[in-house]
Amino acid sequence: MADDLELRFERTVQSESRIEPRDWMPDGYRKTLIRQIAQHAHSEIIGMQPEGNWISRAPSLRRKAILLAKVQDEAGHGLYLYSATETLGADREDLTTKLIEGRQKYSSIFNYPTLTFADVGVIGWLVDGAAICNQVPLCRTSYGPYARAMIRICKEESFHQRQGYELLMTMMSGTQQQRDMVQDSVNRWWWPALMMFGPPDAESTNTEQSMAWRIKRDTNDELRQKFVNMSMPQAEALGVTFPDPDIRWNSERGQYDFGQPDWDEFWQVVKGGGVCNEQRIAHRRKAHEDGAWVREAAAAHAAKHVREEGAA
Amino acid sequence: MSFDNAYESLLGGEDAHWAFGTGFSEALSGVDREFPAGVDREALAAYCLMLGDDALIYSQRLSEWCSRAPELEEDIALANIALDLLGQARMLLTRAGEVLGRDEDALAYLRDEREFRNVHLAEIDCGPGPGGDFATTIARLLVFSSWRLALFSRLRGSADPVLAAVAEKGLKELAYHRDHAAQWTVRLGDGTDESHRRMQAGLDRVWPFVDELFATHAVETALAGVAVDPASLRSEVDGVLEAVLSASGLTRPQDTRAARVAGMAGRDGVHTEAMGYLLAEMQHLHRSLPGAVW
């Protein structure tokens, strides 16, 4: 019996069909998905902070509106993704607890600080760009609710990315001070953006099983290469350079060669040593704890209401 | 769009990809922007700044909640309200700027504190800073949106076609803001002992700033047929607040009024101490890089 179920699951996955919430699935598949989707949801929520840092200081009303709408979209993405985990039996409150207790991770990129308004543009261009490269293949991932959430998220992310790039284009057409600000921001974000694809394939532990389950579709190194290939012409159009002396076109490979990020820094930040790790979690914890009385009040009011309706 | 090239849409394509919308497109396209005959243009500009600054400064305050709300749904809702108000501010500052020869950003970023015309209720800290909490935030939203909704419903009949159009568009937004605040007031008033206590304290905190909303200013008197006399809104707004408070089991605070400063208040450009810090933060970057383009 169990073998039949497993066989049917394998066939569904192999044939590129979707697994739906009520279908049988192996425990490992369920756990891996919850971990991955929750990590993605947490990233959206924590990711509100570095950009939210500039809403109050946005230098034009148009940019303020765009930035506020973008950060609001990220809250929306977090919501869709937490909802997707709920179809697997997870619980948003429990996942939030795991996040603020440091038992679940979020994308390490958000542990870097946003120091100038150019960072808002560079995050849109490079960080959202790298996220899209990671996420586009997930639109075809085997778990239906996740794939559908990702289709919507990718469309919105691609719009965010365009907004970021447009901000940088505008800044590059401004004063020398603005152009310097953009280049400085690119210098600070380029390597962390490359790290977003995860460690080199040789050191990545989760890849193989996830590829077989069609939860993951490309290796870290494949995606990183794709990202570099796409980013170089954009940098040239913008008039900025990447801080990598080894980056150059390789006509034999038909791809760009490029250097490796500092993987020691990557692991240091992943393990909690980044400039903003503690701050990001403390911020999220404070919002959650300060809001506890509000959530309790809403639940108490709803419960009274149900009782009154029941009595009527 | 194709999902194979993440950059495909980088330099083109349609704009309809915001999950919740930004409302900053040409909201008033097609509206007649001629000034009606016989209108005192300086007074009209001053009036647009009053209503525009109320929205701008309050939006600045509300957006402080971003990433700090009690629930994700509420984070989205408060950002939505802040965005609506920012949209209203932009249309009103732009209208003022048509008289003054300045654009919305010059008006938002390059005026000094004494030139801002917003009411004090818009500028005070009602949380998430130390000046309040979520309940205080809801108390301000209830009062502000009930008042502005009543104002905008009359402003639809303004002789200025732009003001009338801004009011028409804003009405639906403000009705949602008021509804959102009223629902939370009921929930918090009724929920737990703690939420009831906090909601009452929130009302007590904002109540001294209510009177200013209904004080008629000389600019409004000079603009008969264009502006709304806020004194005429009092009984309607009182009725709304009364209804919400009684449904929530909350007590209407004593009518304490915050005293004016040598007879002046927000509409005269005389603000609370909070305002200077708010503007310092909001204007700092714009002012630091003169000649920059954003």
Side-chain angles (χ1 to χ4, degrees), chain A residues 45 48-49 54-66 68-73 75-76 78-80 82 92 117 125-126 129 132-133 136 139 151-152 154-156 158-163 165 167 170-171 173-175 177-178 181 226-227 230-231 234 283-284 287 291 293-298 300-301 304, chain B residues 1 3-7 9-22 24 56 59-60 63 66-73 75-77 79-80 82-83 86 89-90 93 104-105 108-109 128 133-135 184 186-188 190-192 194-195 198-199 281-286 288-294:
Chain A
I45 300 309
M48 294 169 73
Q49 293 178 38
W54 283 94
I55 292 170
S56 66
R57 295 174 289 169
S60 76
L61 298 185
R62 175 168 170 266
R63 292 296 171 195
K64 191 190 284 285
I66 289 172
L68 185 52
K70 182 185 175 187
V71 178
Q72 183 193 36
D73 276 359
L79 260 184
Y80 316 152
Y82 284 125
R92 203 207 301 182
F117 198 73
W125 174 38
L126 294 178
I132 294 167
C133 284
V136 160
C139 296
I151 289 171
R152 183 164 173 190
C154 281
K155 283 187 181 166
E156 288 165 7
S158 126
F159 183 56
H160 294 170
Q161 190 203 16
R162 186 141 54 85
Q163 291 288 348
Y165 194 71
L167 167 61
T170 306
M171 289 182 72
S173 75
T175 63
Q177 224 177 339
Q178 285 185 290
M181 198 186 259
K226 209 168 168 180
F227 176 71
M230 289 195 273
S231 299
Q234 295 297 330
H283 180 117
R284 182 72 192 101
W293 69 269
V294 178
R295 296 189 299 275
E296 280 159 24
H301 172 72
K304 284 185 206 174
Chain B
M1 88 182 236
F3 287 114
D4 290 332
N5 185 347
Y7 287 97
S9 61
L10 204 57
L11 298 169
E14 83 273 40
D15 272 355
H17 287 319
W18 293 105
F20 299 96
T22 56
F24 52 75
L56 175 65
S59 172
Q60 178 79 5
S63 63
C66 194
S67 78
R68 294 183 171 88
E71 277 284 18
L72 291 179
E73 289 84 347
D75 223 303
I76 292 168
N80 239 345
L83 272 170
L86 183 53
R90 295 180 64 190
L93 294 190
E104 57 173 9
D105 288 333
Y109 292 98
D133 58 6
F134 184 70
W184 270 115
V186 171
R187 241 177 250 138
L188 297 180
D190 174 67
T192 62
E194 183 182 9
S195 72
R198 284 176 181 264
M199 192 63 228
E281 185 173 347
M282 185 176 92
Q283 297 180 333
H284 143 78
L285 175 57
H286 185 97
S288 298
L289 296 176
V293 288
W294 304 103

Side-chain angles (χ1 to χ4, degrees), chain A:
Chain A
M1 182 65 188
D3 287 352
D4 282 356
L5 289 169
E6 192 143 7
L7 202 63
R8 185 137 53 119
F9 170 84
E10 295 289 348
R11 276 203 202 117
T12 307
V13 169
Q14 298 302 324
S15 66
E16 300 281 329
S17 297
R18 297 268 162 84
I19 303 293
E20 294 300 334
R22 291 177 181 199
D23 295 343
W24 183 90
M25 62 188 84
D27 275 350
Y29 176 86
R30 185 186 299 273
K31 278 187 194 139
T32 303
L33 269 174
I34 291 176
R35 195 193 68 227
Q36 181 174 330
I37 303 173
Q39 183 168 326
H40 187 173
H42 298 331
S43 301
E44 296 282 356
I45 300 309
I46 296 291
M48 294 169 73
Q49 293 178 38
E51 290 180 275
N53 183 34
W54 283 94
I55 292 170
S56 66
R57 295 174 289 169
S60 76
L61 298 185
R62 175 168 170 266
R63 292 296 171 195
K64 191 190 284 285
I66 289 172
L67 185 55
L68 185 52
K70 182 185 175 187
V71 178
Q72 183 193 36
D73 276 359
E74 283 159 7
H77 295 172
L79 260 184
Y80 316 152
L81 290 163
Y82 284 125
S83 302
T85 66
E86 282 166 357
T87 67
L88 292 160
D91 168 65
R92 203 207 301 182
E93 180 71 25
D94 173 57
L95 296 177
T96 301
T97 305
K98 285 180 172 141
L99 169 67
I100 62 186
E101 288 178 356
R103 288 189 283 137
Q104 280 185 343
K105 295 202 179 304
Y106 55 90
S107 178
S108 212
I109 190 82
F110 300 122
N111 293 318
Y112 285 86
T114 49
L115 302 177
T116 69
F117 198 73
D119 290 17
V120 169
V122 171
I123 286 179
W125 174 38
L126 294 178
V127 174
D128 292 344
I132 294 167
C133 284
N134 270 328
Q135 290 168 7
V136 160
L138 296 174
C139 296
R140 293 180 292 133
T141 194
S142 59
Y143 187 58
Y146 189 26
R148 287 187 289 273
M150 289 317 303
I151 289 171
R152 183 164 173 190
I153 289 171
C154 281
K155 283 187 181 166
E156 288 165 7
E157 289 290 351
S158 126
F159 183 56
H160 294 170
Q161 190 203 16
R162 186 141 54 85
Q163 291 288 348
Y165 194 71
E166 190 260 331
L167 167 61
L168 297 178
M169 277 289 193
T170 306
M171 289 182 72
M172 291 302 285
S173 75
T175 63
Q176 187 59 42
Q177 224 177 339
Q178 285 185 290
R179 282 189 287 277
D180 294 344
M181 198 186 259
V182 173
Q183 182 64 59
D184 166 66
S185 177
V186 170
N187 292 346
R188 283 183 286 110
W189 288 98
W190 172 249
W191 293 116
L194 286 190
M195 295 175 194
M196 287 176 69
F197 298 96
D201 293 346
E203 295 164 34
S204 179
T205 46
N206 295 321
T207 298
E208 210 174 312
Q209 178 65 74
S210 289
M211 299 268 285
W213 276 337
R214 304 282 203 271
I215 292 174
K216 203 175 153 119
R217 315 217 38 140
D218 302 271
T219 73
N220 297 351
D221 286 333
E222 284 164 4
L223 289 169
R224 193 167 9 249
Q225 177 73 59
K226 209 168 168 180
F227 176 71
V228 173
N229 291 345
M230 289 195 273
S231 299
M232 274 301 283
Q234 295 297 330
E236 282 161 16
L238 195 57
V240 298
T241 56
F242 293 131
D244 178 356
D246 298 327
I247 200 162
R248 68 178 57 88
W249 180 252
N250 180 328
S251 53
E252 257 171 59
R253 292 202 307 130
Q255 317 227 50
Y256 284 92
D257 291 337
F258 58 98
Q260 283 294 306
D262 177 352
W263 292 110
D264 289 340
E265 178 181 303
F266 172 78
W267 288 115
Q268 219 180 338
V269 177
V270 166
K271 287 174 181 157
V275 172
C276 297
N277 296 59
E278 279 176 38
Q279 177 189 331
R280 300 288 186 240
I281 289 294
H283 180 117
R284 182 72 192 101
R285 179 187 290 120
K286 182 169 177 4
H288 191 66
E289 288 174 358
D290 286 354
W293 69 269
V294 178
R295 296 189 299 275
E296 280 159 24
H301 172 72
K304 284 185 206 174
H305 220 63
V306 168
R307 274 204 301 279
E308 279 164 19
E309 276 174 11

Side-chain angles (χ1 to χ4, degrees), chain B residues 82-253:
Chain B
L83 272 170
D84 285 345
L85 291 168
L86 183 53
Q88 292 178 13
R90 295 180 64 190
M91 291 186 279
L92 288 161
L93 294 190
T94 299
R95 183 59 167 167
E98 286 169 359
V99 177
L100 303 170
R102 306 174 79 181
D103 68 14
E104 57 173 9
D105 288 333
L107 290 170
Y109 292 98
L110 299 176
R111 278 182 300 154
D112 289 328
E113 180 177 336
R114 288 285 277 109
E115 300 171 272
F116 275 82
R117 303 284 156 190
N118 56 283
V119 294
H120 292 177
L121 183 68
E123 76 201 34
I124 58 170
D125 170 22
C126 289
D133 58 6
F134 184 70
T136 317
T137 292
I138 291 300
R140 164 161 61 185
L141 183 61
L142 179 69
V143 171
F144 186 90
S145 59
S146 300
W147 166 68
R148 195 167 171 94
L149 180 62
L151 200 165
F152 271 39
S153 74
R154 284 170 180 71
L155 196 61
R156 278 185 300 174
S158 173
D160 179 48
V162 175
L163 276 177
V166 169
E168 183 68 44
K169 181 176 186 300
L171 215 56
K172 278 189 293 263
E173 297 167 351
L174 293 162
Y176 160 73
H177 304 172
R178 189 181 73 175
D179 185 54
H180 190 71
Q183 286 192 35
W184 270 115
T185 305
V186 171
R187 241 177 250 138
L188 297 180
D190 174 67
T192 62
D193 289 347
E194 183 182 9
S195 72
H196 183 89
R197 177 181 61 73
R198 284 176 181 264
M199 192 63 228
Q200 188 64 54
L203 291 166
D204 294 346
R205 157 90 170 126
V206 303
W207 220 258
F209 300 93
V210 170
D211 250 13
E212 189 193 356
L213 307 179
F214 301 101
T216 309
H217 190 272
V219 163
E220 287 152 342
T221 311
L223 286 172
V226 172
V228 174
D229 177 2
S232 69
L233 308 172
R234 181 111 215 195
S235 64
E236 179 186 334
V237 176
D238 275 347
V240 169
L241 296 176
E242 198 57 56
V244 176
L245 296 191
S246 72
S248 318
L250 294 158
T251 314
R252 183 193 166 98

